[in-house]
C-alpha cells in the first residue's frame, strides 16, 4: 500500500466511524489492567526511547488473524467500541478515552496504559468492548493480548462525537468548535517527497495520565519507533473553540536521516479558485486547506496558495527561528464549495507555534498530484538545517492549534482569494500566451487609508515578463485587488516563482503573497 492509499483509507475511516448515543442509564465498565504497576514519567519515556535507538530496530508485531486482515472499509466501520467501556467513562473527569480495534489497514497493535500517581498499568484488550455484528469477526476467538489500533478522545460536552483521534502510524486529527475533522498531523515525517520510499514512524504505545475530576485538559504520552529513529512525545490536550495541543518531542536517531520533518501536517487540495486543473466536479472547490501560512523569524507574514500540480512539487522556504506556520482553510463561504455532505468550509486550520528557538532550517511543502478528494496530497513540515546523525538527542517543543481562530495574526491585510486564468486584453487578439493573476486583499490598515493614499504593487518574478499590472479598490470586500499578466519565456516550462505585496508611503500594507506557476506545454 503506497502513501496515498494509506492516507485515503485512514482518513476516510476516521471520518466515517460514528458513535452510538449513550443512554443516561448506562454504567461504565471497569477496564481490566494487566501486569504490575511501573513508575512512569516523561523522563522515563525519554530514557526508554534513547535505549531503543541504541539497539537494532525491531519491527512491531502485526496481527495474524485472517478475519481481521480481511476487514473492508464497511466492516471495519461496523466494528464499534462500546462507550461504557471507555477509560474514565462515567467518572466526570472532563474527557474519556475510547479505543479502535486492530484490523483492516491498521495491523499494528498499540499498547495502552493508564498513569495514576506516577505509576503506569497496561490496559487489557477485551472483546466485550466491541460490537462485532456484521463484521464477520468472532470476538471470542481473538487472543486476549490482541491490543488496540488507536484511540479517540470524547469531551464531556458531547458524548457522541470524538474531538481527537490517533490512528495509523503516527497520524492524529482533532477538531475545534466547528466539530468538523479535516487535515491531519503526524508525530514525525522522514524522507517525505524524495525519490525513495518514505519512512512512516509508528506510535507503538500510549500512556494516559488520569486527570482530576472535572478537568479541562489531559496529558497523553507516546512512544514512537521506526527503522531510523525512536522518540518520546508528550501531548497536553485542551479542547475548546480552538483546540490546543502542547507538544514536547524528544527524537533519538538510530541512523542519519536525510530529510527530517518536524511537526508535519497533511492535508488535501484538489481544486480551487487558483488551480482548476482537476475542476471536473460539479462542486466549485474541493479542499481541506487552501494555503500555507508562515510567520518568519524576521516577522514577515507569508501566504502561499496550495495547488494540485501535474507533477510532484517540492518547495523549501528558508528561515531562522520561525514564529509559526500552518495549513489554513481561509475560505469559509459555503457557496464556494456547495458541499452539504462534508462541509469543506468548516474544516479546521492547523497552526504550529514553536515554544523555543528552532534555529536555522526551512518550512518545506510537498504537493502531490491527485485526482480524488480522498487522497491527502499536501504535506508541510519544519526541516532543521543541521544534519541529523545517529546518537543525537533532538528536542522540539511546539503548540498545535486546531480551529478557525489562530493565536497569532498579522496586522496587515490578508490574501482572501487568488484567481488565475488566461491573460490578455478582452476584445483584442492574443498574439502570444500570458497568464492572468488576480489577488484580493482585505483587512489590515485599509479602512484607515486616506483618500490620497493609493496602494502600490511590489512584484517580482524569477522568470518571464510581467505586464498589465494594476491595483484597484474592491468594495465588495472592503479591500483591494492586485492584477497582472505573466508572459513565460518561450519554450521554457521551468516553474516560475512569484512574490507580491501591497505598499504605500514606503510601508508594506499586506502580507506577502508567493506563488509557483508552472507554464503549460501546449501554450
Amino acid at each position: 500500500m503506497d502513501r496515498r492509499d494509506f492516507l485515503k483509507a485512514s482518513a476516510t475511516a476516521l471520518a466515517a466511524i460514528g458513535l452510538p448515543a449513550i443512554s443516561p442509564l448506562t454504567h461504565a465498565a471497569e477496564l481490566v489492567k494487566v501486569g504490575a504497576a511501573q513508575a512512569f514519567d516523561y523522563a522515563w519515556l525519554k530514557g526508554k526511547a534513547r535505549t531503543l535507538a541504541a539497539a537494532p530496530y525491531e519491527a512491531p508485531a502485526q496481527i495474524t488473524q485472517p478475519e481481521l486482515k480481511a476487514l473492508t472499509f464497511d466492516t471495519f466501520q461496523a466494528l464499534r467500541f462500546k462507550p461504557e467501556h471507555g477509560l474514565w467513562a462515567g467518572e466526570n473527569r472532563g474527557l474519556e478515552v475510547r479505543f479502535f480495534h486492530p484490523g483492516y489497514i491498521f495491523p499494528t497493535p498499540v499498547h495502552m496504559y493508564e498513569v495514576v500517581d506516577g505509576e503506569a498499568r497496561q490496559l487489557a484488550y477485551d472483546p466485550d468492548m466491541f460490537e462485532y455484528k456484521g463484521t464477520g469477526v468472532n470476538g471470542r476467538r481473538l487472543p486476549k493480548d490482541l491490543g488496540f489500533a488507536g484511540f479517540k478522545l470524547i469531551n464531556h460536552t458531547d458524548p457522541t462525537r470524538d474531538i481527537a483521534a490517533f490512528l495509523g502510524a503516527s497520524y492524529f486529527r482533532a477538531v475545534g468548535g466547528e466539530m468538523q475533522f479535516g487535515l491531519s498531523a503526524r508525530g514525525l515525517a522522514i524522507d517525505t517527497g524524495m525519490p525513495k520510499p518514505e519512512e512512516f514512524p509508528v506510535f507503538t504505545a500510549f500512556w494516559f495520565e488520569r486527570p482530576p475530576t472535572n478537568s479541562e485538559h489531559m496529558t497523553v504520552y507516546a512512544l514512537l519507533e521506526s527503522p531510523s529513529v525512536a522518540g518520546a512525545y508528550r501531548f497536553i490536550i485542551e479542547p475548546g473553540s480552538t483546540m490546543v495541543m502542547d507538544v514536547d518531542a524528544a527524537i533519538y536517531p538510530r541512523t542519519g536521516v536525510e530529510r527530517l520533518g518536524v511537526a508535519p501536517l497533511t492535508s488535501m487540495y484538489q481544486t480551487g479558485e487558483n488551480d482548476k486543473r482537476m475542476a471536473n466536479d460539479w462542486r466549485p472547490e474541493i479542499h481541506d486547506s487552501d494555503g500555507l501560512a508562515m510567520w518568519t523569524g524576521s516577522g514577515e507574514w507569508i501566504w502561499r496558495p496550495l495547488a494540485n500540480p501535474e507533477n510532484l512539487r517540492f518547495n523549501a522556504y528558508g528561515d531562522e527561528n520561525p514564529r509559526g506556520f500552518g495549513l489554513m482553510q481561509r475560505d469559509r463561504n459555503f457557496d464556494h464549495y456547495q458541499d452539504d455532505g462534508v462541509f469543506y468550509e468548516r474544516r479546521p486550520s492547523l497552526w504550529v507555534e514553536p515554544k523555543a528557538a528552532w534555529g536555522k532550517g526551512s518550512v518545506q511543502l510537498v504537493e502531490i498530484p491527485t485526482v480524488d478528494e480522498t487522497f491527502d496530497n499536501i504535506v508541510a513540515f519544519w526541516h532543521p538545517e543541521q544534519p541529523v546523525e545517529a546518537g543525537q538527542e533532538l528536542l522540539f517543543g511546539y503548540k498545535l492549534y486546531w480551529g478557525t481562530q489562530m493565536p497569532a495574526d498579522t496586522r496587515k491585510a490578508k490574501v482572501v482569494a487568488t484567481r488565475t486564468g488566461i491573460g490578455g486584453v478582452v476584445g483584442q487578439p492574443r498574439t502570444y500566451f500570458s497568464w492572468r493573476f488576480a489577488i484580493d486583499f482585505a483587512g489590515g490598515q485599509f479602512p484607515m487609508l486616506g483618500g490620497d493614499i493609493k496602494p502600490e504593487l511590489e512584484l517580482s518574478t524569477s522568470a518571464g515578463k510581467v505586464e498589465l499590472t494594476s491595483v484597484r479598490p474592491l468594495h465588495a470586500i472592503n479591500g483591494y485587488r492586485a492584477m497582472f499578466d505573466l508572459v513565460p519565456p518561450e519554450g521554457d516550462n521551468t516553474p516560475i516563482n512569484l512574490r507580491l505585496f501591497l505598499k504605500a508611503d514606503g510601508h508594506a500594507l499586506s502580507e506577502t503573497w508567493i506563488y509557483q506557476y508552472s507554464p503549460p506545454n501546449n501554450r
Side-chain angles (χ1 to χ4, degrees), residues 27 51 80 84 87 171 183 200 246 257 302 325 412 438 445 453 510:
H27 296 284
T51 300
R80 299 176 183 270
E84 64 268 22
L87 180 61
Y171 284 87
L183 77 171
F200 290 91
D246 188 318
V257 176
I302 296 174
F325 69 93
K412 295 180 171 61
Q445 299 185 48
I453 300 295
S510 73

Side-chain angles (χ1 to χ4, degrees), residues 31-84:
L31 287 177
V32 176
K33 300 180 179 67
V34 296
Q38 181 179 15
F40 177 87
D41 59 17
Y42 188 45
W44 178 91
L45 184 60
K46 289 194 289 185
K48 174 74 170 177
R50 186 193 291 272
T51 300
L52 286 171
Y57 173 68
E58 294 185 13
Q62 307 285 292
I63 58 173
T64 59
Q65 294 73 26
E67 63 269 37
L68 295 181
K69 291 182 176 182
L71 288 169
T72 65
F73 167 75
D74 290 327
T75 53
F76 183 77
Q77 180 183 352
L79 208 168
R80 299 176 183 270
F81 184 82
K82 298 176 183 177
E84 64 268 22

Side-chain angles (χ1 to χ4, degrees), residues 359-393:
K360 292 183 178 180
S362 57
V363 175
Q364 301 195 347
L365 176 67
V366 181
E367 297 168 297
I368 304 169
T370 185
V371 299
D372 193 295
E373 66 197 279
T374 58
F375 292 101
D376 279 3
N377 64 320
I378 305 294
V379 186
F381 50 83
W382 173 257
H383 174 66
E385 181 180 271
Q386 290 295 321
V388 175
E389 300 174 350
Q392 291 178 318
E393 180 184 57

Side-chain angles (χ1 to χ4, degrees), residues 179 200 244 313 316 325 358 385 387 389 482 506 514:
M179 294 297 291
F200 290 91
V244 182
R313 293 201 311 196
F325 69 93
W358 280 3
E385 181 180 271
E389 300 174 350
I514 61 175

Side-chain angles (χ1 to χ4, degrees), residues 154-168:
I154 307 297
N155 196 20
H156 67 92
T157 56
D158 188 340
T160 63
R161 294 185 291 178
D162 46 324
I163 60 169
F166 288 66
L167 178 63

